[in-house]
Amino acid sequence: MKKEQVLARLKEDCLVAVVRAKNLEQGEKVIDAIVAGGINFIEICMTVDEGSPIDLIAKMVEKYRGNDKIVIGAGTVLDPETARMAIIAGANYVVSPGLNIDTIKMCNRYRVPMLPGVLTPSEAITAMEYGCDVIKVFPGNLVGPAAISSFKGPLPQGEFMPSGGVDVDNVDKWIKAGAYAVGTGSSLTKGAKTGDFEAVTAKAKEFVEAVAAARK
């Protein structure tokens, strides 16, 4: 999928599921449950305890190859080496908790969207100068929804996606504040900790409904 298509789809869907898993088996079950709930953007974090998250990306890319709604990306990417491995495995976008210029350059080289994590205007400006189309506000729970409008005051041309602390009860506030999209993890997937994947699907449906309602 081309970079422009990924960004357009991200804006359209407005919702990214952040997946952290103990192992590859659990990761696959969580992703299947999320997809069943209607969330199409899956961010597979590079923090799988057992096994390679790169292998999980490759497996999910292959599994959902026939479903053009599903967009697989890589999260918690800290360096360009990991970014390149994720891209080769099929990741359509790369997300980081911080700002690493070399990682941005790597993704630009392959024309893959890179969403760096920022918490200050200076970081946001640097990310924009290096070509990032959408910037991750992280940790979102430290600043709250008002951060989006605060960023957009001096940087109206910027596009921001909060992650961390986004849940069903406050997702509308983030979107109404001007978020390009939102990322949610633990609030969405907590049912997986006890093996309750149906709860993950149910929560995914709640998020989809909440986002749709907020955008009306």
Side-chain angles (χ1 to χ4, degrees):
M1 188 178 294
K2 291 184 178 180
K3 179 179 181 179
E4 293 79 9
Q5 291 175 301
V6 174
L7 293 170
R9 283 284 313 283
L10 178 59
K11 185 174 183 179
E12 179 183 348
D13 280 35
C14 200
L15 182 59
V16 177
V18 181
V19 177
R20 300 184 188 278
K22 292 181 179 179
N23 51 55
L24 302 188
E25 180 182 3
Q26 185 197 50
E28 182 174 3
K29 289 181 179 179
V30 171
I31 292 168
D32 289 345
I34 291 169
V35 170
I39 298 179
N40 300 316
F41 269 76
I42 309 295
E43 177 188 326
I44 299 175
C45 294
M46 300 293 100
T47 51
V48 175
D49 295 335
E50 301 170 16
S52 169
I54 298 296
D55 290 342
L56 181 58
I57 289 175
K59 185 173 184 179
M60 293 299 97
V61 167
E62 182 60 32
K63 182 171 187 175
Y64 287 103
R65 188 174 299 280
N67 187 340
D68 59 6
K69 290 184 178 181
I70 307 305
V71 185
I72 304 294
T76 320
V77 176
L78 306 180
D79 49 65
E81 294 82 6
T82 303
R84 184 174 184 274
M85 288 191 293
I87 292 167
I88 291 173
N92 282 294
Y93 60 97
V94 172
V95 185
S96 176
L99 180 65
N100 182 289
I101 302 305
D102 288 335
T103 302
I104 296 173
K105 289 180 178 179
M106 175 65 71
C107 293
N108 287 343
R109 185 177 305 156
Y110 289 96
R111 286 190 51 74
V112 171
M114 200 280 145
L115 287 70
V118 310
L119 204 54
T120 69
S122 294
E123 290 176 329
I125 291 169
T126 298
M128 292 167 65
E129 288 176 340
Y130 279 92
C132 294
D133 296 280
V134 182
I135 300 166
K136 172 181 172 180
V137 176
F138 181 81
N141 56 303
L142 291 185
V143 291
I148 302 297
S149 54
S150 294
F151 272 116
K152 279 185 165 291
L155 302 171
Q157 72 275 32
E159 299 291 0
F160 300 92
M161 183 188 82
S163 188
V166 178
D167 58 40
V168 170
D169 295 329
N170 67 22
V171 68
D172 62 321
K173 295 181 178 64
W174 286 105
I175 291 173
K176 291 175 181 177
Y180 188 90
V182 297
T184 182
S186 57
S187 176
L188 169 66
T189 62
K190 61 183 178 181
K193 293 182 179 180
T194 58
D196 189 354
F197 297 102
E198 291 183 1
V200 176
T201 297
K203 183 61 70 173
K205 291 179 179 178
E206 287 185 41
F207 264 104
V208 171
E209 293 171 359
V211 169
R215 300 183 76 190
K216 288 184 179 179

